[in-house]
Amino acid sequence: MNVPVLASIVQASSFPAIDPIPLPAPVWLFKVFHDLTLTLHFAALHLLIGGLLLATVWNFLGQMRSEPDRLLVSASGVVATRLTIVMTYVINLGIPPLLFVQVLYGRAVYTGTVLIGPIWLSVVLAVIVAYFLLYRVSKLAVERKPWWIWGLAALAVIEYVGHVYATAMTLMLRPEVWPAMYDANPTGAHLPPFDPTKWPRFAMIMVGSVGFGAIGSALYSAKRNLPEDVKTFLRVQGGRVGLAALVVLAGVGLWAFNTQPDFVREGLLASVYYKVLLCAWVAFVVLAAVAAVGIQACPGSLTLAKGLFASLAATLAVASYVLIREGVRDLTLAAKGFDVWLSPVNTNWTVVVLFVVSLVLGLIGVGWLIAVLRGAKPTEERYV
Ligand code: HEM
């Protein structure tokens, strides 16, 4: 179906009326904050999912021997006991983009999430359960007891949350299916019809998590008080798994691009901005893979230069993905009659300044918390 016809059908039927209160700040400013905070949310998510997967596999392999393998068990415990902290970042860094996405795309995202209401709300419970399971993992790891089964359970719940997010963020782009979904089940206790873009979208985050999360575990080998054999293990295994997953991620990226509708792909390729971003994503993934090779081949401990290079390449890969993903959303919604850049704006600079000041104060607070955490007595001492 061509784009103007699609737009007229969808516009006539599905999008709720524009909110009578205009945006209190320019669209670009909301987008800057959204993209920045979503990059941080995804980075934390990668550390959580990648770290949990690796640590669970290592714990399983370590505990399956007739005598538990000290190195595997220690390495799994070192990573697993950090994950409750990482989870706090996943959650807290998820809230700002949720607010910004609602402000910018409320007409689409509210409608989509209301249509799967019970499933969407179940995320709150699932996150609490995931948190509980991570604490259980951490406690058992400290006691040197096998915990991989709890790790698997945590992973399953976390995957569920990720799947709900991918479903909701896909559904907000499909106003053409909203009326039939409501007619079929107004209580919202059902998933939307199959969408070829959803699974690659989900896989981008999950495979990315294995790649970037494994590199994160490898970088954790720089922690001073870890035993040398655990440091080497984290570095070599993290680097290897990271490299393998990034090769797969390149393929998933191609899959994600190819499953987009023609008008989205053409729109991305017609824009210099998005072409640069697509090339940047490929380049940063390749650089992160090069960093993974360098890390696992590093004789002795990890150098600061290699660590910084890997972190920067991984973060920029995530940031370029966030911007491309944003392009897919804008092109899709614009073709269906909702151009976010045309949203009514009435900038209230007092509110903007207050917001920026409180954000800076908040970031200083987070910096202070990190400093306190760094100075705290490390739990890893119990593994050595
Ligand atoms: C274990 C917990 C979590 C997991 C596994 C998770 C996973 C994900 C995944 C896979 C996506 C990408 C979806 C897509 O590409 O379509 C995503 C996006 C998002 N997540 Fe999380 N998430 C978690 C917690 C949270 C929390 C607690 C919040 C907020 C309170 C949050 C806010 C968001 C937002 C706002 C987006 C998308 C924003 C956008 O599209 O603009 N997440 N999350």
Side-chain angles (χ1 to χ4, degrees):
M1 197 178 303
N2 73 36
V3 172
V5 174
L6 191 62
S8 61
I9 293 172
V10 173
Q11 204 168 18
S13 58
S14 305
F15 285 114
I18 295 178
D19 196 323
I21 304 171
L23 298 182
V27 171
W28 65 263
L29 191 60
F30 279 118
K31 276 187 165 274
V32 167
F33 285 129
H34 170 271
D35 296 344
L36 186 69
T37 52
L38 189 60
T39 300
L40 296 175
H41 174 58
F42 282 172
L45 206 52
H46 290 334
L47 293 179
L48 175 73
I49 297 173
L52 182 59
L53 181 71
L54 277 190
T56 303
V57 171
W58 292 338
N59 193 261
F60 171 74
L61 296 175
Q63 297 286 1
M64 278 301 105
R65 316 260 162 104
S66 48
E67 255 318 273
D69 182 302
R70 190 197 59 80
L71 183 56
L72 281 165
V73 171
S74 297
S76 70
V78 164
V79 175
T81 50
R82 315 320 292 166
L83 296 179
T84 47
I85 296 168
V86 176
M87 182 69 161
T88 62
Y89 284 96
V90 169
I91 296 172
N92 285 300
L93 293 167
I95 294 165
L98 188 58
L99 301 180
F100 294 125
V101 85
Q102 287 171 166
V103 169
L104 286 171
Y105 303 95
R107 295 163 70 206
V109 79
Y110 282 130
T111 316
T113 50
V114 165
L115 285 168
I116 52 165
I119 297 168
W120 177 244
L121 292 178
S122 71
V123 155
V124 178
L125 188 66
V127 168
I128 295 170
V129 172
Y131 224 151
F132 161 77
L133 292 169
L134 289 178
Y135 270 105
R136 184 89 194 122
V137 162
S138 187
K139 184 169 183 291
L140 291 171
V142 167
E143 293 168 1
R144 296 288 192 151
K145 294 185 179 150
W147 55 260
W148 58 269
I149 195 96
W150 294 91
L152 275 184
L155 209 51
V157 178
I158 289 170
E159 292 295 309
Y160 171 77
V161 175
H163 178 249
V164 174
Y165 270 99
T167 303
M169 298 303 144
T170 307
L171 183 58
M172 71 174 277
L173 306 181
R174 302 287 178 259
E176 61 276 17
V177 307
W178 296 347
M181 277 187 71
Y182 182 75
D183 288 343
N185 185 345
T187 66
H190 63 149
L191 286 168
F194 171 77
D195 189 308
T197 66
K198 186 179 85 175
W199 288 107
R201 176 187 268 272
F202 177 70
M204 282 299 288
I205 299 292
M206 297 307 154
V207 178
S209 292
V210 183
F212 299 124
I215 291 179
S217 301
L219 294 183
Y220 199 67
S221 68
K223 188 101 173 50
R224 260 194 310 257
N225 60 332
L226 298 179
E228 276 314 312
D229 59 345
V230 172
K231 282 182 178 222
T232 309
F233 181 89
L234 287 176
R235 202 164 40 66
V236 173
Q237 298 305 323
R240 281 185 189 159
V241 174
L243 174 64
L246 290 183
V247 173
V248 178
L249 182 65
V252 174
L254 199 63
W255 178 33
F257 183 79
N258 282 332
T259 48
Q260 287 298 324
D262 290 347
F263 68 90
V264 174
R265 274 183 289 143
E266 284 158 15
L268 290 174
L269 294 177
S271 148
V272 177
Y273 171 69
Y274 288 120
K275 264 199 282 206
V276 169
L277 280 175
L278 288 165
C279 295
W281 181 78
V282 174
F284 290 129
V285 170
V286 170
L287 287 177
V290 170
V293 173
I295 290 169
Q296 56 97 23
C298 215
S301 55
L302 189 69
T303 61
L304 180 67
K306 279 188 181 164
L308 282 178
F309 179 74
S311 316
L312 200 65
T315 310
L316 291 174
V318 176
S320 42
Y321 172 64
V322 164
L323 294 172
I324 296 166
R325 191 178 167 283
E326 192 80 347
V328 168
R329 172 152 60 199
D330 287 354
L331 287 164
T332 309
L333 288 178
K336 298 177 184 183
F338 174 10
D339 187 341
V340 70
W341 291 100
L342 301 180
S343 306
V345 175
N346 185 1
T347 305
N348 183 336
W349 287 109
T350 317
V351 171
V352 173
V353 171
L354 274 176
F355 175 79
V356 173
V357 169
S358 55
L359 180 75
V360 171
L361 289 178
L363 289 176
I364 293 172
V366 170
W368 174 73
L369 283 176
I370 292 174
V372 170
L373 191 71
R374 282 174 64 87
K377 190 166 172 289
T379 52
E380 291 93 321
E381 269 176 18
R382 306 180 69 165
Y383 293 96
V384 298

